[in-house]
């Protein structure tokens, strides 16, 4: 009998339930926008009751779309965005909103911790980011002590979903190691890290750790009644979404980089090597047991979505009235323009930066003759420039370019943008057949956990299939090189001014 796997992918932009078969074929999916609450600027939260209700509905609809019997599901894995903070009380109950990975309330705290990162880098091999759970926990301790004192368990996004499925609480190694709470040498929680972040009382709130393919429990009777699943289906450790997308694109070693064009700008490779502190890069535990070297920031496709809402509201309205997508219209536009079309440089820092922490989004080079089209194309290019900035950091650690980049995320829906990535990076770009790559990574974990395949290497060979390869256009690459060098030059020239800009802005808010 055929075996099927369900992945629940709790992402920062969209949350999905996806069904795969044992050959990696995607049979059914249902997605809904992640319901972000932003009552205060920079505070990105989510109501966990609403999230779970929507996930239950998505599971039912994904199974229906797959046209299978729930009893045929052999295993379930949860995938989720990294960083952020999901809290349950001592009775395993929801009592506060979850916090998403794009949250920036603790920027100043993170900067202070990062200034002293020498004290912990040898332990966690992580730099400090505003949305890491220990930073957010410190913020909670100092700003919402009533919430902080009620915390019984600290979870990551996917671990919350798994808990709702099985009732028992665990945290998976990949998420924990990417969240500055794990000693990468011992692969255990380290009290020194909790002392560094001033949250020693949280050390005992950390759930037991599980591997990606390790059995955590079974779908409970309560969850079965809510989701339409059969009680007793095994549920495995699951994956941090960066790991899941990398596994889902078949990245096993340093021959290939995995690049995700989504809510975050994610660029990684798996290796026995690790990045040192001065590289500015992060290290975490990959499902294969290798070290995952990561360069990431909130500088990717979210900038495009916000720009379109700001600049092209009328075009979006017209497209909707004609039953079209604005992205289809933009695809045609990109296909009929090239690297020479826009003379504008865009910094994709609307949600954060990969340079100075105070850097903000900006257009440079606008004239009276500049069109909206030129500004929009500059956003596409600027996002890829931000990816290139990170990829050059990875290449410096590895000391050579990869054979190709395996691309995933929403950006892969645009063939023209994929070509732009290849041209700007001057590296071949490969896509796999599945559209829900993180979901496929989760299904691979379930296939290994349920012993359909003996190991992750075999599962990838059976379930990951290449769809296309895009090669760089040398003429376009040469033009983009000029634009990228100007992008860097402008960034460097502004490096000492971002703090002054922020100070001015804060002063205006107080007047």
């Amino acid at each position: 009998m055929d075996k099927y796997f369900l992945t629940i992918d709790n992402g920062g932009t969209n949350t999905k339930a996806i069904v795969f078969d044992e050959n990696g074929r995607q049979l059914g999916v249902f997605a809904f926008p992640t319901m972000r609450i932003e009552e205060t600027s920079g505070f990105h939260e989510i109501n966990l009751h609403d999230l779970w209700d929507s996930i239950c509905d998505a599971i039912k609809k994904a199974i229906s779309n797959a046209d299978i019997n729930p009893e045929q599901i052999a295993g379930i894995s949860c995938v989720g965005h990294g960083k952020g903070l999901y809290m349950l009380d001592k009775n395993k109950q929801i009592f506060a909103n979850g916090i998403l990975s794009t949250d920036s309330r603790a920027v100043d705290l993170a900067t202070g911790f990062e200034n002293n990162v020498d004290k912990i880098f040898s332990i966690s091999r992580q730099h400090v980011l505003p949305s890491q759970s220990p930073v957010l926990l410190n913020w909670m301790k100092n700003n919402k002590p009533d919430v902080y004192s009620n915390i019984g368990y600290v979870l990551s996004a996917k671990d919350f979903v798994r808990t709702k499925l099985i009732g028992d609480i665990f945290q998976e190694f990949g998420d924990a190691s990417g969240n500055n709470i794990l000693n990468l040498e011992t692969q255990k929680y380290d009290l020194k890290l909790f002392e560094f972040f001033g949250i020693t009382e949280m050390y005992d709130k950390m759930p037991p750790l599980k591997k990606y393919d390790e059995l955590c429990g079974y779908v409970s009777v309560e969850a079965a009644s809510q989701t339409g699943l059969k009680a007793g289906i095994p549920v495995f450790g699951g994956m941090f979404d960066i790991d899941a997308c990398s596994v889902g694109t078949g990245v096993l070693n340093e021959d290939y980089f995995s690049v995700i064009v989504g809510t975050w700008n994610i660029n990684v490779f798996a290796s026995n090597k690790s990045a040192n502190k001065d590289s500015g890069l992060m290290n975490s535990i990959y499902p294969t047991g290798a070290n995952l070297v990561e360069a990431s920031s909130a500088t990717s496709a979210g900038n495009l979505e916000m720009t379109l809402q700001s600049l092209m509201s009328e075009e979006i309205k017209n497209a909707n009235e004609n039953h079209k997508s604005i992205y289809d219209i933009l695809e045609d536009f990109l296909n009929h323009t090239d690297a020479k079309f826009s003379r504008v440089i865009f910094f994709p820092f609307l949600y954060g930066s990969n340079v100075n922490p105070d850097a903000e989004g900006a257009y440079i080079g606008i004239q009276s003759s500049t069109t909206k089209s030129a500004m929009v194309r500059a956003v596409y290019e600027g996002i890829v420039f931000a990816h290139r900035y990170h990829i050059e950091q990875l290449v410096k650690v590895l000391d050579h370019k990869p054979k190709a980049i395996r691309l995933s995320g929403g950006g892969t829906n645009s063939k023209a943008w994929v070509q732009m990535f290849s041209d700007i990076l001057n590296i071949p770009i490969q896509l796999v057949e599945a559209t829900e790559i993180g979901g496929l990574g989760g299904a691979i974990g379930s296939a290994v956990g349920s012993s359909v395949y003996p190991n992750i290497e075999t599962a990838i060979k059976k379930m990951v299939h290449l769809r296309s390869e895009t090669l760089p256009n040398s003429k376009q690459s040469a033009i983009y090189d000029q634009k990228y060098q100007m992008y860097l030059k402008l960034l460097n020239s502004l490096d000492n001014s971002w703090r002054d800009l922020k100070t001015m802005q804060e002063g205006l808010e107080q007047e």
Side-chain angles (χ1 to χ4, degrees):
M1 186 175 72
D2 293 334
K3 294 183 183 294
Y4 302 104
F5 307 105
L6 171 68
T7 301
I8 302 159
D9 186 350
N10 184 12
T13 302
N14 292 294
T15 299
K16 309 160 189 174
I18 317 107
V19 177
F20 293 88
D21 68 13
E22 58 194 280
N23 296 312
R25 192 163 57 100
Q26 186 175 301
L27 303 179
V29 60
F30 186 83
F32 60 90
T34 301
M35 302 161 285
R36 188 177 76 187
I37 302 168
E38 190 175 5
E39 294 177 349
T40 303
S41 179
F43 286 48
H44 296 175
E45 301 185 351
I46 185 166
N47 183 300
L48 298 183
H49 292 290
D50 292 344
L51 173 63
W52 175 242
D53 288 344
S54 296
I55 286 174
C56 291
D57 181 62
I59 290 171
K60 294 174 185 175
K61 290 177 178 175
I63 292 171
S64 175
N65 291 340
D67 194 24
I68 65 167
N69 188 318
E71 295 187 2
Q72 295 176 283
I73 295 175
I76 300 172
S77 287
C78 298
V79 168
H81 71 78
K83 319 296 187 289
L85 179 62
Y86 291 69
M87 304 165 286
L88 297 178
D89 67 16
K90 296 172 184 177
N91 296 315
K92 304 180 184 179
Q93 300 301 308
I94 297 167
F95 72 98
N97 286 342
I99 301 178
L100 298 168
S101 62
T102 52
D103 191 275
S104 60
R105 74 186 69 187
V107 166
D108 291 339
L109 266 179
T111 300
F113 286 127
E114 177 62 19
N115 289 338
N116 294 291
V117 76
D118 283 344
K119 296 179 180 179
I120 62 164
F121 192 86
S122 62
I123 300 172
S124 65
R125 300 183 205 164
Q126 292 264 310
H127 287 275
V128 182
L129 297 176
S131 60
Q132 287 175 329
S133 62
V135 181
L136 291 169
L137 285 167
N138 182 283
W139 187 94
M140 285 287 177
K141 183 177 182 178
N142 290 297
N143 293 276
K144 291 192 175 182
D146 55 328
V147 172
Y148 188 80
S149 63
N150 202 27
I151 295 173
Y153 298 92
V154 175
L155 303 171
S156 294
K158 72 170 189 314
D159 302 316
F160 163 74
V161 179
R162 188 193 328 102
T163 298
K164 294 295 292 182
L165 285 170
I166 67 174
D168 291 327
I169 300 182
F170 301 98
Q171 185 154 191
E172 180 265 335
F173 279 96
D175 255 325
S177 66
N179 225 344
N180 233 328
I181 55 176
L182 210 66
N183 184 317
L184 258 66
E185 188 67 32
T186 65
Q187 298 194 5
K188 296 179 180 179
Y189 299 118
D190 196 311
L191 184 59
K192 292 178 182 177
L193 295 172
F194 293 81
E195 292 171 346
F196 174 80
F197 288 108
I199 54 166
T200 51
E201 50 279 337
M202 287 295 113
Y203 181 75
D204 294 327
K205 312 293 186 183
M206 296 294 145
L209 292 161
K210 291 283 189 177
K211 293 181 180 179
Y212 79 99
D213 61 340
E214 195 170 352
L215 179 66
C216 293
Y218 301 89
V219 173
S220 67
V221 172
E222 180 182 7
S225 68
Q226 295 168 322
T227 61
L229 293 167
K230 179 186 176 182
I233 297 174
V235 181
F236 303 100
M239 299 183 197
F240 179 17
D241 61 1
I242 293 176
D243 293 346
C245 286
S246 301
V247 168
T249 54
V251 172
L252 286 169
N253 53 48
E254 59 193 34
D255 286 345
Y256 299 92
F257 286 1
S258 169
V259 172
I260 307 171
V261 188
T263 305
W264 272 60
N265 168 348
I266 307 291
N267 314 270
V268 299
F269 69 86
S271 174
N272 292 325
K273 296 181 180 180
S274 63
N276 61 34
K277 180 182 72 66
D278 293 337
S279 70
L281 305 181
M282 311 282 270
N283 303 277
S284 61
I285 300 170
Y286 197 50
T288 62
N291 181 63
L292 192 74
V293 182
E294 173 193 346
S296 63
S297 58
T299 58
S300 197
N303 286 265
L304 179 62
E305 182 181 0
M306 178 60 72
T307 300
L308 296 182
Q309 292 174 7
S310 301
L311 289 181
M312 304 192 75
S313 57
E314 189 64 29
E315 289 84 351
I316 292 171
K317 179 182 177 183
N318 291 338
N320 291 338
E321 288 175 351
N322 289 285
H323 307 290
K324 292 183 179 180
S325 165
I326 187 63
Y327 292 104
D328 293 333
I329 295 170
L330 288 171
E331 185 73 2
D332 186 61
F333 158 68
L334 292 175
N335 282 325
H336 287 86
T337 56
D338 62 11
K340 291 183 177 181
F341 180 80
S342 179
R343 300 178 183 181
V344 179
I345 297 294
F346 176 73
F347 295 154
F349 305 153
L350 299 181
Y351 298 103
S353 162
N354 57 0
V355 286
N356 189 307
D358 294 318
E360 297 182 345
Y363 289 97
I364 299 180
I366 295 177
Q367 301 173 330
S368 61
S369 58
T370 302
T371 63
K372 283 196 294 185
S373 296
M375 294 173 70
V376 169
R377 184 169 179 108
V379 174
Y380 278 96
E381 294 174 358
I383 290 169
V384 188
F385 289 155
H387 276 273
R388 175 168 168 173
Y389 185 91
H390 281 319
I391 287 167
E392 289 184 347
Q393 292 176 303
L394 295 180
V395 169
K396 188 174 181 179
V397 172
L398 191 56
D399 203 30
H400 63 80
K401 282 187 174 182
K403 294 178 180 177
I405 284 173
R406 300 278 175 88
L407 200 67
S408 60
T412 60
N413 294 322
S414 168
K415 188 176 180 180
W417 206 7
V418 171
Q419 182 66 60
M420 189 185 294
F421 265 89
S422 183
D423 293 342
I424 291 176
L425 303 178
N426 201 18
I427 299 172
I429 302 293
Q430 296 178 345
L431 304 181
V432 300
E433 286 184 358
T435 57
E436 300 298 339
I437 308 299
L440 177 57
I444 288 169
S446 293
V448 177
S450 57
S451 299
V452 171
Y453 298 115
N455 51 53
I456 195 168
E457 292 82 7
T458 302
I460 284 175
K461 286 180 182 178
K462 297 289 187 179
M463 299 177 72
V464 177
H465 312 286
L466 285 183
R467 166 164 52 108
S468 66
E469 181 175 59
T470 301
L471 301 177
N473 179 311
S474 59
K475 291 182 179 179
Q476 293 289 293
S477 293
I479 298 169
Y480 281 128
D481 277 343
Q482 294 179 43
K483 298 176 86 168
Y484 180 67
Q485 294 309 317
M486 181 52 63
Y487 173 91
L488 293 178
K489 188 172 183 178
L490 290 168
L491 279 181
N492 291 334
S493 69
L494 288 167
D495 194 46
N496 295 320
S497 300
W498 293 115
R499 168 49 65 173
D500 294 337
L501 175 62
K502 187 171 184 179
T503 300
M504 181 207 75
Q505 292 169 333
E506 291 172 346
L508 292 174
E509 288 177 359
Q510 295 171 3
E511 290 182 4

